[in-house]
Amino acid sequence: MHIADGFLPAPVSLLGYALTGGGLWFSLRKISKTYEDPQEHIPKTSLLTAAFFVGSLINIPVPPSSVHLLLNGMLGVLLGYYAFPAIVVGLFFQAVMFQHGGMSTLGVNAAMLGFPALLSGYLFKLRLSFGEETPRRLGVFAFAAGASAVALSTLIFFGLIVTTIPADFDADLERSATFVLMMSQIPLIFIEGVFTSILVSFLRQVKPSLIEGF
Amino acid sequence: MKSLNWTLIIPIVGLGVIGVTETALAHAAQLRYEIESTISVTATYDNGEPMANAQILVYSPDDPREPWMRGTTDDAGRYEFRPQAEESGNWTVTVRQAGHGDMITLNLDDSGTRADASTENSSDSSLFAGSADISLPQRLLTGGSIIWGCVGTALFFSRRRKSSSES
C-alpha cells in the first residue's frame, strides 16, 4: 500500500514532503522535550525500524489478492514520537531496495503512515487515564491503536488515489478497482490489531520497560 | 479492299484473345506477406501475481499526450497491441489498477522491428530505475546490510548507555 512514482501530481508530492518535514520537526522536538535522555530509546527504534523495513515483504493472502503488513500502529505503540523518524527511514530503504513507493512520493507515503502512527501512540497512552492498568485493558488499547493506524492509513491512501485519477484513465473502473482493494485491507486491520495486542501483552510479561513511558 | 480487312481483323482478334486470357489469369490465387510486430505486455504485481483487468494506455511517438489505444489486461495480466510500422520512436505503455501500476517505454527503430523488445524486458517507474535490475543475491546482501546497520546502531547505543551508567 505504497504510492509509487508517477501516481500523484507534483503539488500533492510536494505537499507530502512539507507534511513529512513538519511531522519530523514536531516528533524530534517532542523527543528532545519529553525525554531526559533522547538517546535512550534509539536502540529500540533502530530494531523496530529494521522490523518495519522487512514488514512490507511479508504478504498475507487475502482473496482475491494479497496484502502486506504495514506495522505503523505497532511502531506508534512501542516508539511513541520516535515512530515518525523510524517510518521515514524505513520507507526510504523500502523505496530504494524493493521499489515499494518511490522517491517523489516518499513524503506522501511517510505522512500517510507516520501521522496515523503518532495518533495510535496517543491512543495507546490514553489507557493511563483510566486508572490502574489491567492486562485486559492494555490488550484492548493495543488492539485499538494497532488497528486504527492501519485503518486510517488505508483511508488516506484511497482518498488520495480516488481524487487524483488522471483524465486519460476510466475513473469509474479505477474507483471500483480501488474499492475492491480497500475491502481486502479490512482483514489486515484486524490482523495488525491482534498482532500489536499480542506483542504488547508479551512485552508486559517479559520486559515491561519497553512499553512504559509511551 | 479484301487485304485491308484482314490487316484490321487480325490485330483486333489478337487483342481480344489476350484480353480474355488476362481476365482468366485474374482468378489465380496470390499470397502476399507483410511483417508486423505485435507487442505483448504482461502486468504483474511484484509478488508475481497477474494484474487482471487493469487499465492499459498506449501512447504513440507522434502524440505522447493523447492515448493512441486504451484497453484492459486479460486474466493473466496480458495485453497485445500492434504499433504502426511507420511510427518509429518511443512507444509508452502505462498500466494502472487501484493506485498500483507501472510504465514502460518501447523503442521501435525505423524498420518497425522491435529494438529492445526482442528479449523480455521490464521497467519500473521508480526513479532508481537501475535498481530494478539488481539480482536477488545483490538485493538480499543490500537488504541484509540495511538490517545490520539498524542492529549495529541498536548495539552501539545500548553499549554506550551501559558504559555511561557504569561510570
Side-chain angles (χ1 to χ4, degrees):
Chain A
M1 212 189 66
H2 299 54
I3 301 176
D5 284 325
F7 279 85
L8 293 176
V12 179
S13 297
L14 286 174
L15 181 68
Y17 268 106
L19 286 172
T20 296
L24 270 177
W25 173 81
F26 172 76
S27 301
L28 295 175
R29 195 178 145 88
K30 279 284 185 185
I31 288 168
S32 66
K33 281 191 168 180
T34 312
Y35 307 105
E36 208 174 289
D37 180 12
Q39 294 187 349
E40 191 188 348
H41 298 291
I42 288 180
K44 190 168 72 173
T45 308
S46 304
L47 288 175
L48 286 169
T49 305
F52 172 72
F53 167 69
V54 177
S56 70
L57 290 183
I58 301 169
N59 281 307
I60 301 167
V62 178
S65 64
S66 65
V67 293
H68 66 81
L69 293 175
L70 291 184
L71 300 179
N72 60 335
M74 182 202 76
L75 290 186
V77 165
L78 295 182
L79 295 179
Y81 295 116
Y82 289 84
F84 206 100
I87 284 171
V88 173
V89 172
L91 282 179
F92 172 75
F93 285 122
Q94 283 177 1
V96 173
M97 277 307 300
F98 310 134
Q99 284 76 53
H100 285 175
M103 291 310 294
S104 70
T105 51
L106 179 63
V108 172
N109 286 327
M112 183 173 76
L113 298 184
F115 285 109
L118 287 181
L119 286 177
S120 75
Y122 282 124
L123 184 60
F124 187 59
K125 228 175 185 176
L126 262 183
R127 79 194 187 281
L128 300 172
S129 56
F130 284 85
E132 201 185 331
E133 190 174 273
T134 60
R136 192 175 174 180
R137 190 183 299 149
L138 187 78
V140 169
F141 270 91
F143 174 85
S148 61
V150 180
L152 191 55
S153 296
T154 306
L155 284 177
I156 295 170
F157 174 88
F158 291 110
L160 276 172
I161 291 303
V162 164
T163 52
T164 57
I165 301 170
D168 288 347
F169 286 96
D170 182 344
D172 288 337
L173 200 61
E174 179 69 359
R175 260 196 293 270
S176 57
T178 309
F179 184 72
V180 170
L181 191 69
M182 193 165 92
M183 292 295 109
S184 71
Q185 290 289 117
I186 291 173
L188 184 74
I189 294 169
F190 285 96
I191 289 167
E192 294 223 14
V194 170
F195 176 68
T196 309
S197 181
I198 291 171
L199 185 69
V200 167
S201 302
F202 173 73
L203 289 176
R204 182 182 168 272
Q205 288 182 332
V206 296
K207 204 163 171 58
S209 62
L210 284 177
I211 49 171
E212 281 167 8
F214 291 109
Chain B
M1 194 65 189
K2 203 174 179 181
S3 61
L4 187 68
N5 281 342
W6 277 112
T7 51
L8 280 172
I9 289 165
I10 289 169
I12 288 167
V13 171
L15 281 173
V17 170
I18 292 167
V20 169
T21 316
E22 276 284 288
T23 316
L25 281 177
H27 290 288
Q30 269 189 337
L31 271 179
R32 284 191 291 181
Y33 74 93
E34 216 172 279
I35 298 173
E36 286 188 61
S37 51
T38 301
I39 306 287
S40 173
V41 290
T42 307
T44 55
Y45 290 104
D46 55 359
N47 61 359
E49 210 176 289
M51 283 178 82
N53 303 316
Q55 290 190 67
I56 288 253
L57 296 181
V58 181
Y59 296 89
S60 74
D62 285 351
D63 188 1
R65 280 180 294 184
E66 198 62 34
W68 176 77
M69 190 178 261
R70 298 162 197 266
T72 51
T73 57
D74 62 13
D75 287 344
R78 191 182 288 269
Y79 182 74
E80 287 184 354
F81 67 98
R82 186 178 295 169
Q84 287 147 349
E86 63 270 19
E87 287 190 46
S88 61
N90 288 333
W91 287 76
T92 307
V93 184
T94 308
V95 64
R96 180 179 171 124
Q97 187 178 49
H100 294 80
D102 200 1
M103 191 174 81
I104 191 169
T105 304
L106 300 163
N107 182 22
L108 305 192
D109 64 18
D110 291 335
S111 62
T113 54
R114 285 176 285 175
D116 62 353
S118 53
T119 53
E120 256 183 55
N121 197 10
S122 68
S123 161
D124 204 279
S125 55
S126 166
L127 286 181
F128 286 77
S131 60
D133 303 327
I134 297 176
S135 68
L136 186 66
Q138 281 175 313
R139 202 174 271 226
L140 287 173
L141 186 69
T142 319
S145 305
I146 291 169
I147 293 167
W148 178 245
C150 294
V151 174
T153 309
L155 291 173
F156 174 76
F157 278 98
S158 57
R159 179 178 156 271
R160 189 171 161 172
R161 197 178 47 180
K162 262 183 199 166
S163 62
S164 65
S165 63
E166 279 168 9
S167 60

